[in-house]
Amino acid sequence: MKSIVVLISGSGSNLQAILDACSAGFIPGRVKAVISNKASAYGLKRAETAGVTSAVLSHKDYDSREDYDTALIQLIDSHQPDLVVLAGFMRILTPAFVAHYQGRLLNIHPSLLPKYQGLNTHQRAIDAGDTEHGCSVHFVTAELDGGPVVLQAKVPIFPEDDAELVAARVHEQEHRIYPLVVRWFCQQRLQQNADQALLDGQVLSEHGYADDEDND
């Protein structure tokens, strides 16, 4: 059983999907701790309900991003995780933090990377006239939203859609593919090799596995 630490800043819906997948035995691992940079994050209540240790480490208590990330590393490492999962953790991480967890740090981003790195992805896809959008699970590197993609899921964009409707579709897919990628990692099927992601020893493409491939 692999040990997982999840970092959050908000509602923790992806955290809940991972907790549920662990409880059901889909993920051969368990969430050892949930850490938030915001005391108001609803995900902390999800952790409490699941009986998982939680902690708040506010970035406002530190003078620099480097000082905060040093303290965050110490807190995470106290739980000896095999995997660190970013689930709506709204912080830009320092290169030192990323290097410390290289190969065992995952994130989910609400776009079909490499398109729409950064924020406001749903509205940007609508404004560009895109007919499809989606989400990507990727290993984290020092480049913002630039690490090797493991798996993507696509959703349609219809002419009458607004960002809220598109976001709801994307969230549904996030809750499906994130637990699957965490499962692969805990099964020791998934690795990062520099700027590449490997599944079962095979290098994945720039877009990772396609949503319609047989990848269970």
Side-chain angles (χ1 to χ4, degrees):
M1 296 284 284
K2 299 295 186 181
S3 297
I4 304 164
V5 169
V6 182
L7 307 186
I8 62 169
S9 295
S11 68
S13 62
N14 276 305
L15 164 65
Q16 188 66 59
I18 291 168
L19 288 170
D20 291 347
C22 289
S23 178
F26 181 74
I27 294 174
R30 67 189 184 100
V31 177
K32 290 282 296 292
V34 174
I35 300 170
S36 176
N37 64 318
K38 295 183 178 181
S40 60
Y42 183 74
L44 295 169
K45 295 183 179 179
R46 297 182 190 271
E48 181 181 6
T49 299
V52 173
T53 298
S54 64
V56 176
L57 189 69
S58 175
H59 56 278
K60 295 180 180 179
D61 295 335
Y62 295 85
D63 293 332
S64 70
R65 194 176 298 276
E66 289 75 16
D67 288 347
Y68 178 78
D69 279 9
T70 297
L72 184 58
I73 287 171
Q74 293 174 347
L75 179 56
I76 293 170
D77 284 357
S78 70
H79 299 286
Q80 299 181 309
D82 299 296
L83 175 66
V84 178
V85 172
L86 306 179
F89 188 61
M90 303 304 289
R91 296 279 301 166
I92 295 176
L93 300 169
T94 59
F97 183 97
V98 173
H100 185 77
Y101 296 107
Q102 183 175 8
R104 54 194 179 112
L105 183 61
L106 290 172
N107 183 46
I108 191 161
H109 182 72
S111 80
L112 297 173
L113 292 172
K115 295 183 72 172
Y116 309 126
Q117 296 167 323
L119 302 175
N120 303 317
T121 61
H122 310 309
Q123 189 60 54
R124 288 161 66 191
I126 292 171
D127 291 345
D130 293 354
T131 57
E132 67 177 14
H133 188 46
C135 51
S136 307
V137 181
H138 65 97
F139 281 108
V140 178
T141 64
E143 179 187 355
L144 178 65
D145 300 326
V149 173
V150 178
L151 183 63
Q152 294 184 326
K154 296 178 181 179
V155 302
I157 299 178
F158 300 110
E160 66 274 15
D161 281 344
D162 58 19
E164 186 175 349
L165 281 171
V166 174
R169 274 188 220 115
V170 171
H171 286 155
E172 182 178 348
Q173 295 305 311
E174 288 181 1
H175 303 159
R176 185 175 66 84
I177 69 170
Y178 214 176
L180 179 57
V181 173
V182 173
R183 169 187 168 93
W184 290 343
F185 186 94
C186 291
Q187 290 174 325
Q188 298 182 297
R189 297 175 58 194
L190 177 65
Q191 295 88 33
Q192 179 186 356
N193 181 10
D195 59 351
Q196 296 177 325
L198 287 77
L199 184 64
D200 298 331
Q202 300 297 311
V203 176
L204 299 178
S205 73
E206 178 187 26
H207 301 287
Y209 258 91
D211 183 40
D212 57 357
E213 294 191 55
D214 182 9
N215 46 43
D216 290 338

